[in-house]
Amino acid sequence: MELQPVDNLPEGFTRGLNSDETSEEYFLNMGPQHPSTHGVLRLVLKLDGENVLEVVPHLGYVHRGIEKLAESQTYLQNIHLTDRLDYLSSHFNNLGYCLAMEQALDIGVPERGEYIRVMVCELQRIQSHLLWWGVTGMDLGAISTFLYGFKEREMITDIFEEICGARLTMNFFRPGGSFADVPDTFIPRVKKVIERMHVALDEYNTLLTDNIIFRERTRAIGILSREKALSYGCSGGVLRASGVSYDVRRNDPYSIYDRFDFGIPVGSVGGCFDRYRMKMEEMPQSLRILEQAVKDFPEGPYRSKEQSAYRLPQGSYYSQVETARGLLGTYIVAEGGAKPYRVKFRSPSFSNLSTLCEMAVGHKIADLVTILATLDFVVPDIDR
Amino acid sequence: MKTRQVGDKESLFHFWGRYLQKVATGLVSLLSGMGVTIRYFVSPDKIITQQYPENRENLQMMARFRGHLAMIHDENNQHRCTGCGICEKACPNGTISVLTAKDLAGRKVLGRYIYRLSQCTLCNLCIESCPFGAISMGRDFELATYDRQQLTFILNKTQGGK
Ligand code: SF4
Ligand code: SF4
């Protein structure tokens, strides 16, 4: 087998093309404007006919320098920057940042504030999974799932619009609680969502989970072993699908998650269908948390004492939350002023994406799309 | 290329049995999915689609909806802004410029309150920071224009304030 000289290869590849007469190897650019890369991710593929030999993701198309920008803004202003990390998990991002600040300033959160946080976060988890479910179906050629997913998602988005005025970039949580109390209609609306979701989940299973085409396209595709998942630092559904039961809400409880009774779904094989199943089973668990929270939703203050400016004492502070995609770490280094010295986000999508080549090699391009869909990453979260 | 290991050859009868069974279960799964679609198709009361922009007239926005920034004016066209500039400092994007002026008595009052929608991330921080409750978020969401110049507004209708 003759290999091409290594110097004019696309970036990231180590081995050249097989220049054999009969070989059909070539490089192909997928993205950055490709519908199934969910944003502006560029993948360079080395293919043999239709078979994937190597995948190199190229990042940076939506790099906005959020970590650098955070250094020139006050702590309060930073919270609204975190909306723009993983835009489908903006409440989680806000929460992560607020938890780190609360840890630094020793601020407590009133009971009602904690309940609001947990409920809003679980609603967002469902909301994010619904969007993912819709686009996963669409990536595999089932356009109608997109519309079905958005139907219920709209109910949750309406709740968010009512409590904070935004549908995507929430900027809702503040150190010590949230910027506003929830209106009276909040609990009835949540109850309606819970009721509707139980019916809807059955429909989703009939529509997609039990669909033979979907089953055949996800079965035994993109297997990620337990060891690989751990060594790449995966988290969230990707890690749990490979058989590791790790969820920050359970293993390192923040807020008041230790009070709720909920299960952590764990997969066995680590293939595409397992990853799909993880998300689908997480939704009923989130509903369980919501049901318990609705039952004991307390009255009282929603936020501890408000401050117009926050100055973090010198030191470094770390918090982690479980977003809809996995572990989001927020690390703040403070020098005592009104602005942070350095902020670092550990985003789940980045680690999850790095397993792509590991999973895709040996499959067809169409399977690569399946793998991308079940990895469920958000590109702005990778680039930041 | 990897080749599949072929075990003992399956009898034709078994092969066809498996094949037909797969076709049957596949068909059932597709039809039950189709059933959901048809159920929605024949029950128009479940339609949630809104006909925008036809329904513009009776579109209800949420009370806390964050549209563009607006200054609250009472019936005499008076606003509550003192020109203190706290909101300008609270804004992460330099969206607001508070230009002050002197009134006849020589006191500092608001001259012009300049708001650049093109730089605003609709984050609500200015409103939270204002100690006088002088500004709020509007309900409008159709804010696109053809010209960037049209995205800069002067929010106060009168000079000065209370
Ligand atoms: S909403 Fe945010 S970005 Fe817009 S003017 Fe107010 S503080 Fe500035
Ligand atoms: S809007 Fe409020 S914060 Fe801004 S200058 Fe006027 S009074 Fe001060």
Side-chain angles (χ1 to χ4, degrees):
Chain A
M1 194 160 89
E2 281 281 309
L3 289 179
Q4 261 186 7
V6 187
D7 33 309
N8 58 357
L9 282 177
E11 215 183 320
F13 289 92
T14 47
R15 295 184 56 192
L17 296 175
N18 183 354
S19 57
D20 211 333
E21 280 285 290
T22 54
S23 145
E24 285 184 29
E25 290 184 9
Y26 60 104
F27 291 105
L28 183 77
N29 208 20
M30 183 171 168
Q33 302 287 338
H34 192 281
S36 71
T37 56
H38 297 208
V40 275
L41 173 70
R42 179 174 149 226
L43 301 174
V44 182
L45 318 174
K46 190 168 126 188
L47 302 169
D48 174 15
E50 210 191 339
N51 297 311
V52 178
L53 297 179
E54 205 174 342
V55 192
V56 176
H58 286 245
L59 311 174
Y61 287 89
V62 274
H63 178 71
R64 291 139 304 161
I66 285 185
E67 288 177 8
K68 188 71 195 164
L69 203 55
E71 292 166 20
S72 59
Q73 297 192 348
T74 64
Y75 290 106
L76 214 49
Q77 292 171 345
N78 277 183
I79 299 174
H80 105 289
L81 281 180
T82 62
D83 285 345
R84 285 150 180 86
L85 294 173
D86 170 357
Y87 48 77
L88 295 177
S89 301
S90 46
H91 280 310
F92 299 106
N93 303 341
N94 292 172
L95 182 61
Y97 203 88
C98 291
L99 286 177
M101 280 175 78
E102 281 159 15
Q103 180 197 344
L105 294 168
D106 212 5
I107 302 176
V109 183
E111 190 75 3
R112 187 178 168 95
E114 295 277 26
Y115 270 85
I116 293 175
R117 283 185 171 185
V118 167
M119 289 174 76
V120 164
C121 281
E122 290 314 309
L123 282 172
Q124 177 133 62
R125 194 182 311 279
I126 299 174
Q127 186 209 31
S128 167
H129 284 0
L130 284 178
L131 185 123
W132 160 85
W133 181 78
V135 291
T136 299
M138 202 162 69
D139 282 348
L140 301 185
I143 303 270
S144 50
T145 59
F146 189 66
L147 302 173
Y148 280 93
F150 263 63
K151 197 155 77 46
E152 274 73 38
R153 185 177 186 271
E154 191 58 31
M155 294 174 76
I156 302 178
T157 314
D158 272 350
I159 297 182
F160 291 159
E161 196 181 334
E162 192 171 36
I163 61 173
C164 68
R167 297 163 64 88
L168 204 64
T169 50
M170 316 294 185
N171 193 17
F172 182 54
F173 295 139
R174 297 284 182 274
S178 50
F179 82 73
D181 197 2
V182 290
D184 295 338
T185 47
F186 178 65
I187 293 292
R189 269 175 184 267
V190 174
K191 277 186 185 150
K192 227 156 125 197
V193 167
I194 297 173
E195 203 181 307
R196 174 66 207 150
M197 276 307 292
H198 283 302
V199 184
L201 282 172
D202 285 342
E203 277 178 13
Y204 298 161
N205 287 333
T206 324
L207 275 172
L208 197 63
T209 318
D210 298 337
N211 184 300
I212 180 105
I213 303 169
F214 178 78
R215 285 278 181 136
E216 291 291 312
R217 282 200 60 182
T218 49
R219 196 166 53 91
I221 300 287
I223 308 278
L224 185 69
S225 69
R226 185 192 156 94
E227 289 71 34
K228 281 270 154 44
L230 282 170
S231 61
Y232 274 97
C234 295
S235 54
V238 178
L239 180 67
R240 289 192 287 272
S242 297
V244 185
S245 171
Y246 182 85
D247 189 311
V248 185
R249 292 176 293 169
R250 168 66 50 84
N251 296 68
D252 179 18
Y254 53 94
S255 194
I256 48 165
Y257 273 109
D258 44 358
R259 288 192 211 165
F260 295 102
D261 174 29
F262 61 100
I264 310 277
V266 181
S268 48
V269 197
C272 280
F273 189 71
D274 262 353
R275 284 193 286 279
Y276 171 84
R277 207 162 51 83
M278 286 310 99
K279 303 242 174 212
M280 294 309 276
E281 286 174 12
E282 248 171 55
M283 282 193 267
Q285 298 305 331
S286 292
L287 289 177
R288 256 175 81 187
I289 298 180
L290 281 174
E291 275 161 7
Q292 295 164 40
V294 163
K295 211 158 66 218
D296 323 320
F297 193 65
E299 292 292 325
Y302 64 95
R303 183 176 180 180
S304 50
K305 199 175 154 290
E306 194 174 329
Q307 272 169 261
S308 56
Y310 293 88
R311 286 169 176 277
L312 264 58
Q314 196 166 21
S316 54
Y317 311 98
Y318 178 75
S319 74
Q320 51 184 23
V321 292
E322 179 84 18
T323 75
R325 275 161 204 84
L327 189 155
L328 173 84
T330 309
Y331 186 64
I332 305 178
V333 181
E335 271 194 325
K339 294 170 184 175
Y341 173 74
R342 175 83 168 88
V343 178
K344 160 80 185 152
F345 297 105
R346 183 263 180 226
S347 67
S349 300
F350 182 82
S351 318
N352 290 355
L353 177 73
S354 50
T355 60
L356 183 63
C357 187
E358 205 69 60
M359 288 193 269
V361 172
H363 290 303
K364 307 259 188 247
I365 297 192
D367 298 332
L368 177 67
V369 172
T370 316
I371 295 170
L372 283 175
T374 54
L375 268 181
D376 184 28
F377 50 81
V378 165
V379 180
D381 193 28
I382 300 169
D383 280 350
R384 294 196 288 283
Chain B
M1 278 286 56
K2 279 174 250 166
T3 48
R4 194 140 25 115
Q5 283 293 319
V6 183
D8 290 339
K9 214 160 176 220
E10 195 178 20
S11 76
L12 209 58
F13 177 74
H14 271 119
F15 172 77
W16 276 104
R18 206 159 49 83
Y19 185 79
L20 287 176
Q21 195 199 0
K22 215 162 183 183
V23 169
T25 50
L27 215 58
V28 168
S29 88
L30 290 182
L31 284 178
S32 59
M34 204 61 200
V36 176
T37 313
I38 291 171
R39 255 205 316 284
Y40 276 96
F41 188 73
V42 295
S43 47
D45 55 308
K46 286 193 181 145
I47 294 176
I48 55 149
T49 315
Q50 294 186 21
Q51 297 299 329
Y52 177 82
E54 285 81 2
N55 67 350
R56 255 203 200 121
E57 303 295 275
N58 41 25
L59 204 59
Q60 286 284 321
M61 300 308 286
M62 303 289 181
R64 290 182 191 168
F65 181 76
R66 307 211 300 251
H68 59 92
L69 193 62
M71 188 164 278
I72 303 166
H73 285 79
D74 62 12
E75 61 275 12
N76 302 322
N77 256 348
Q78 290 293 312
H79 56 75
R80 290 197 290 267
C81 177
T82 58
C84 66
I86 291 177
C87 54
E88 188 180 340
K89 283 207 199 72
C91 178
N93 307 309
T95 310
I96 304 168
S97 296
V98 181
L99 305 181
T100 52
K102 289 246 161 65
D103 69 358
L104 290 175
R107 281 174 306 174
K108 195 177 90 169
V109 292
L110 176 67
R112 273 185 297 165
Y113 193 99
I114 299 170
Y115 168 62
R116 302 176 196 86
L117 177 60
S118 52
Q119 296 176 20
C120 181
T121 48
L122 308 172
C123 66
N124 209 38
L125 288 175
C126 48
I127 291 155
E128 276 167 60
S129 72
C130 177
F132 305 98
I135 41 180
S136 70
M137 283 285 187
R139 298 287 104 79
D140 295 344
F141 59 93
E142 295 165 329
L143 300 168
T145 59
Y146 283 105
D147 188 359
R148 197 157 51 125
Q149 310 293 323
Q150 293 170 0
L151 293 174
T152 303
F153 300 93
I154 295 177
L155 295 186
N156 56 322
K157 294 187 191 151
T158 51
Q159 216 181 49
K162 278 183 190 168

